Amino acid sequence: MVSGAAGPVAQAAEANWARYRPGQSRGHYESFFLRGNHPERPLAFWIRYTMFSPEGNPERALGELWAVYFDGETNRHAAVKSEVPFAECSFGRREFAVRIAASRLEPGRATGRAEGGGHEIDWDLGFDGLGKPVLLLPRRLYEAKLPRAKSLVPVPVARFSGRLRVDGKTIDVEDWLGSQNHNWGSRHTDRYAWGQVVAFETHPDSFLEVATARLKFGPIWSPFLTVLVLRHCGQEFRANSLCDALRARASLRYFAWDFDCRTRSFRIAGKIHAPREAFVGLRYANPPGGFKQCLNTKLAACRVELTDLRTQPPACTILSTAHRAAFEILTDNDRHGIPMRA
């Protein structure tokens, strides 16, 4: 796992080591994804390199390439997914090297192509990053059996340059800000909301990662559990222990999410929201069987109120962005009205 003694570059490389062992019988999914936002306009991309192996059937493992180009100016978004036999893929277990057919992801570079649903997207992007990896969970849980789904951010602040081509149209990418992320597990979280902001308009050096989840144990549902990490003004505000998760409050509906996390030192209350037309719907296969529906946008608004309880009176800071927040909802419910695009 990520070593606290290593520098940021070494930590990011280790955080990107693949967890999947080819041929393992236990079901597994694992994704390495990039996201970036135009520095001023409501435009964004999301690119995901994934391996999927169904429970008890490793011979049916495959690689997946996903890409979405979000255009908030026209609300016409392009979403694609390609599947590749696992024999044509490789995921480095001791190096950051991902290959799905001819598409590749490695330190500082991503190239590839995917098509589907009448669209095609290809990309050739370089990126550099700042900051050590962000661990959304306590470090010890990354090697534990539970939770079954893990996520971290090897490169929390990435600056992208290069090009996208969407349905034959070239889009120049210059100094788009985003992140490079890694997640994996033996099954998808039963229900969740996930959010991330890289560079608020009000505070361009701040980073937020937050998730709210409900887990199902037989017929019993857990309460909403919320974990959060905020990097702001050289400090890391972390509320991600089990006690923190249980103490937090959250409200999730289509298409808005409120969360409120508190420790002895600080309180962070926020809202992430976007209009229905900002989302695309994606179907994620679940290793134990079945599918989850992911409602995905990278053009959400976010407002966060940080209260430092260590000062008298408590100091309050407002961080906000109009359209740079990532917002994903994972659900089994199909009453949201968003068609599945890939």
Side-chain angles (χ1 to χ4, degrees), residues 111-315:
T111 58
R113 179 180 180 277
E115 60 180 301
H119 297 285
E120 59 180 76
I121 300 177
D122 64 74
W123 57 92
D124 186 349
L125 298 168
F127 62 95
D128 54 29
L130 297 173
K132 64 181 182 179
V134 171
L135 306 184
L136 188 58
L137 300 172
R139 186 181 301 270
R140 59 182 175 79
L141 293 185
Y142 285 93
E143 304 303 329
K145 183 177 180 180
L146 296 175
R148 292 187 176 92
K150 329 279 190 185
S151 68
L152 51 76
V153 191
V155 184
V157 181
R159 190 177 299 274
F160 294 92
S161 294
R163 62 145 184 87
L164 302 167
R165 190 158 54 238
V166 180
D167 296 334
K169 178 183 178 182
T170 297
I171 295 146
D172 292 323
V173 175
E174 183 175 353
D175 290 335
W176 290 32
L177 281 175
S179 59
Q180 185 264 306
N181 306 262
H182 182 194
N183 57 51
W184 67 94
S186 59
R187 64 180 298 156
H188 289 294
T189 302
D190 295 293
R191 293 178 185 170
Y192 75 59
W194 171 81
Q196 187 188 84
V197 179
V198 179
F200 294 83
E201 278 99 333
T202 56
H203 297 82
D205 296 324
S206 297
F207 172 94
L208 171 72
E209 175 113 351
V210 58
T212 291
R214 291 192 74 192
L215 309 178
K216 194 174 185 182
F217 302 93
I220 306 301
W221 282 95
S222 76
F224 282 118
L225 304 170
T226 300
V227 291
L228 176 150
V229 176
L230 173 67
R231 289 182 176 171
H232 175 68
C233 290
Q235 299 183 72
E236 184 169 276
F237 299 88
R238 177 180 294 275
N240 68 345
S241 71
L242 179 58
C243 289
D244 293 333
L246 288 167
R247 186 184 303 117
R249 296 290 177 263
S251 172
L252 178 61
R253 57 203 179 279
Y254 304 126
F255 298 94
W257 168 29
D258 295 275
F259 50 88
D260 190 336
C261 300
R262 182 191 293 263
T263 72
R264 293 180 179 180
S265 301
F266 64 86
R267 177 187 179 192
I268 297 175
K271 180 172 186 174
I272 298 178
H273 62 97
R276 182 189 303 268
E277 57 269 21
F279 288 85
V280 299
L282 308 172
R283 293 175 79 240
Y284 288 174
N286 207 10
F291 292 85
K292 294 288 186 179
Q293 297 189 10
C294 178
L295 313 181
N296 187 324
T297 183
K298 301 297 177 279
L299 299 175
C302 177
R303 183 183 187 276
V304 169
E305 183 175 325
L306 166 64
T307 304
D308 190 338
L309 302 176
R310 297 168 298 183
T311 64
Q312 290 298 328

